[in-house]
Amino acid sequence: MVTPATGSPAQPAWPTPPPADFQSTPSLDELTADEVGPTDRLLVTQARGGEAQAFESLLKRYQAMVTLVAYRQLGHPDQVEDVAQEAFVKAFMHLEDLDDPTRFKSWLLRITANLALDFLRRRKNDGVSLDTTGAFAAAEESAAKQPGRGDLQEAQDHAQSDELRSQIVEAIYSLPEDYQVPAAMRYLEEVSYKEISRRLGLREETLRKRIHRANQMLRRKLRKLWPETDIL
Amino acid sequence: MTCDECRTHLQEFVDGELGSAEKAAIDAHLTGCQECTHLHRQLNKFTTTLIKISEPLKPKADFGSKVLRKFEETKAELNRVPSERPAAVSSVRTAVRTFPAWPFIAGAAVLVVAGLAVMFHKPKEDPVAWLREGAEHARVQVYEGNAWKETEEPGRVFSGNRIEALDAPGEIVEIDFGPAADAMLRAPCVLMIERNATGILVRPDRTCRLWLATKGSGSKSGKILKLLYNNAWVQLDLDGSNAVDVEASPSGSLVVSVKTGSAHFGNADANGDVAEGYTRSIGQTGKPSDAATIDPKTFDWIKPE
């Protein structure tokens, strides 16, 4: 049955600013039917209780993603490992401060990004060049003195690899949340599908679909950046 | 094996993730299919390149053990602090004796700082929605410094964020509102999403085609999912199971076609209900029209693969 429009007054205007008290949208943990292993919430709760296995599981789950975020901020592989390790230690030391354990991942990644920025700031204040090895400048100088030597080419290749790496990292980072971590594990860590699904507590079938989809999205993103290549 | 079947499993084949029977079937198909062989070659090079270039970022085998060792050392360091505390306490006591007003000033400062922190601290809310299929065609943006900027959490939509899908006309982006509702938008579209005590508000700011569906939580929350297009609006009861196809048309009207359940609609002058199977056009003002159609031939929400 269709009720025709009446001449009654319109609904009251949408109230603004919105009070954030609508609680029917749950955390991600409760949304997926694809999970078979422990959720972040459970692992954080267990870690808070001192269970060593839970710390290890959180580490395995996010070490690739933390590395990726550290690199994204630093822009160079040097010091990435130090920042990534420090991020985990800081997160583990302050687990009690995390209000919502379902948000462990975004909290950990924020800690990582902040630590990387602190690191960059410290370096800048210390007056250290961000070309950490100085390899590029040294090679350029050497090549200028002795044209024809391969050092400059080597340095240029190195710089090009850095740029490609940054583009890959950026492309993985920009994937939707469900695809980011599996893609980081697959391409940064070279972990098998079975191991990724075990670490993430996901059904293997779900993981296979996500990797497949992540790969499609990555190729599409990188195709725009590498129009000349024959691999996409 | 067909080309489609082969391509579905080609990435797994490249990644060495198939069983021997599946692997043999793909090998056999590749022998006789040039197109799939070409794709296989591309995927192989792509995967190898990604892994090779990412090599310097590969976490070392002892990454985890180093972290856990540092963690234990840091904890142990902290546990040693209490034995050093007496010295620190005595120096504070000395300070108190020489300057009795110190604790009051310090206390007042702490209160001021705590007060400011309470006033300005805004706890981060849970997302209102998550982008699912087709998310790569959309960007989630937040309004900062007089401009919309991409958020740092791709795929998650917080209250006040907007979803912009402009670059891929015809592509569908799925939006997941948790157990409450689902939506799909068809690019091009820009959609702002808010959450408040009444429910969820979606606000297209230009011509847009949307599918909204509430899942029927079974509770009596009284919350709604509302779409507002300037003055024209349509709303669904989040407690019920309803689905509508909505077009925010270039003329400024909303065309609402109810596929399941019912919807409430209105504008500045009128409001009413529309039942399953019926379509209404709701202008910015005046009486809504029942002569509207959304042409299924142009688009029928077939999901992308």
Side-chain angles (χ1 to χ4, degrees):
Chain A
M1 189 188 117
V2 180
T3 309
T6 65
S8 58
Q11 294 272 306
W14 192 268
T16 51
D21 59 353
F22 181 48
Q23 296 300 324
S24 73
T25 308
S27 67
L28 263 182
D29 283 352
E30 281 127 20
L31 285 178
T32 58
D34 302 321
E35 289 171 341
V36 286
T39 59
D40 280 6
R41 185 210 300 268
L42 181 62
L43 290 176
V44 169
T45 308
Q46 289 173 341
R48 281 173 173 169
E51 289 185 35
Q53 184 61 45
F55 286 110
E56 213 168 319
S57 297
L58 288 169
L59 258 166
K60 290 272 183 205
R61 191 170 277 194
Y62 293 121
Q63 64 185 22
M65 199 61 207
V66 163
T67 301
L68 184 142
V69 169
Y71 175 79
R72 187 171 176 263
Q73 295 291 348
L74 296 172
H76 197 282
D78 286 1
Q79 312 298 332
V80 162
E81 191 184 353
D82 289 346
V83 168
Q85 286 180 4
E86 204 180 327
F88 272 112
V89 172
K90 191 169 181 183
F92 289 169
M93 289 301 296
H94 293 91
L95 269 186
E96 294 299 330
D97 300 341
L98 175 62
D99 293 335
D100 178 1
T102 63
R103 296 180 57 79
F104 174 77
K105 184 190 133 196
S106 53
W107 179 71
L108 172 67
L109 298 184
R110 205 159 48 240
I111 289 174
T112 310
N114 288 338
L115 282 173
L117 288 175
D118 284 348
F119 174 82
L120 288 176
R121 243 177 257 132
R122 279 202 306 271
R123 284 190 71 89
K124 201 177 169 189
N125 290 341
D126 293 347
V128 180
S129 160
L130 291 179
D131 173 14
T132 46
T133 60
F136 196 91
E140 255 186 335
E141 198 180 328
S142 153
K145 285 178 193 160
Q146 288 178 279
R149 285 197 50 185
D151 295 1
L152 181 59
Q153 183 60 45
E154 202 177 300
Q156 281 169 343
D157 290 349
H158 192 69
Q160 199 181 14
S161 291
D162 273 351
E163 194 183 335
L164 293 179
R165 195 176 302 117
S166 295
Q167 288 170 345
I168 291 169
V169 161
E170 207 54 48
I172 295 175
Y173 186 78
S174 68
L175 291 174
E177 187 160 352
D178 287 347
Y179 305 94
Q180 272 180 345
V181 178
M185 281 191 196
R186 178 72 202 116
Y187 295 113
L188 263 61
E189 279 193 276
E190 279 186 85
V191 180
S192 71
Y193 289 13
K194 195 169 188 171
E195 175 63 11
I196 298 175
S197 55
R198 195 186 65 76
R199 288 188 192 179
L200 293 178
L202 285 174
R203 289 181 203 286
E204 213 172 316
E205 192 48 38
T206 304
L207 190 270
R208 280 174 189 275
K209 284 181 188 163
R210 288 193 189 174
I211 295 268
H212 182 75
R213 190 99 179 104
N215 190 277
Q216 280 182 329
M217 288 188 265
L218 282 175
R219 292 181 70 211
R220 205 170 299 151
K221 281 172 196 289
L222 293 172
R223 196 178 291 145
K224 287 181 189 165
L225 297 169
W226 307 343
E228 303 297 322
T229 184
D230 63 341
I231 66 168
L232 294 166
Chain B
M1 175 177 270
T2 65
C3 289
D4 276 350
E5 285 167 342
C6 172
R7 286 169 193 199
T8 304
H9 297 290
L10 210 46
Q11 185 62 46
E12 293 163 64
F13 179 77
V14 166
D15 289 339
E17 293 283 346
L18 289 180
S20 53
E22 292 161 303
K23 190 172 170 294
I26 290 195
D27 267 330
H29 179 84
L30 290 178
T31 310
C33 178
Q34 278 192 342
E35 277 188 35
C36 288
T37 302
H38 179 67
L39 183 64
H40 170 241
R41 205 170 291 136
Q42 281 187 320
L43 276 180
N44 210 3
K45 277 190 190 171
F46 174 72
T47 306
T48 313
T49 306
L50 249 63
I51 289 175
K52 189 179 164 200
I53 292 181
S54 305
E55 177 71 29
L57 302 181
K58 187 174 181 174
K60 295 192 178 72
D62 60 354
F63 180 92
S65 57
K66 275 185 181 171
V67 169
L68 292 175
R69 197 168 55 241
K70 278 188 192 173
F71 175 46
E72 291 304 327
E73 284 168 5
T74 314
K75 273 199 301 188
E77 188 75 21
L78 275 182
N79 288 337
R80 273 200 296 275
V81 169
S83 63
E84 293 161 11
R85 200 167 280 159
V89 169
S90 70
S91 69
V92 169
R93 281 181 185 149
T94 310
V96 171
R97 273 199 301 274
T98 54
F99 184 30
W102 179 87
F104 301 105
I105 294 168
V110 167
L111 282 175
V112 169
V113 170
L116 288 173
V118 168
M119 279 168 69
F120 292 106
H121 175 68
K122 192 183 171 195
K124 185 96 173 171
E125 298 163 25
D126 280 340
V128 184
W130 294 264
L131 299 189
R132 299 294 186 202
E133 288 289 316
E136 70 274 22
H137 303 301
R139 294 186 298 168
V140 181
Q141 298 174 322
V142 61
Y143 195 72
E144 273 176 3
N146 298 324
W148 288 98
K149 292 173 185 166
E150 205 150 340
T151 64
E152 288 181 2
E153 299 184 69
R156 311 181 85 172
V157 187
F158 292 89
S159 188
N161 287 170
R162 76 175 192 182
I163 301 166
E164 185 192 84
L166 292 177
D167 300 333
E171 294 288 351
I172 297 167
V173 179
E174 291 186 13
I175 305 166
D176 181 346
F177 290 103
D182 282 329
M184 287 189 278
L185 65 83
R186 185 179 188 237
C189 186
V190 178
L191 198 69
M192 189 167 157
I193 292 185
E194 290 172 39
R195 169 173 53 193
N196 72 2
T198 320
I200 300 166
L201 172 70
V202 295
R203 203 194 296 245
D205 82 340
R206 64 185 73 195
T207 305
C208 232
R209 183 82 179 269
L210 287 154
W211 176 275
L212 302 174
T214 58
K215 295 180 187 170
S217 59
S219 65
K220 300 275 182 198
S221 70
K223 312 276 187 197
I224 56 167
L225 171 62
K226 181 170 181 171
L227 181 144
L228 182 65
Y229 188 46
N230 298 321
N231 287 321
W233 53 265
V234 57
Q235 73 182 41
L236 306 179
D237 171 13
L238 276 172
D239 298 333
S241 185
N242 310 290
V244 292
D245 190 353
V246 185
E247 186 173 55
S249 78
S251 66
S253 61
L254 269 183
V255 182
V256 179
S257 183
V258 177
K259 304 298 178 187
T260 315
S262 64
H264 196 54
F265 65 89
N267 58 27
D269 297 330
N271 67 70
D273 293 314
V274 56
E276 188 169 314
Y278 288 83
T279 301
R280 292 275 192 215
S281 174
I282 306 149
Q284 293 295 309
T285 56
K287 189 179 173 184
S289 155
D290 58 1
T293 54
I294 293 182
D295 186 0
K297 285 178 197 153
T298 56
F299 183 65
D300 58 1
W301 291 111
I302 294 169
K303 287 190 180 183
E305 52 127 5

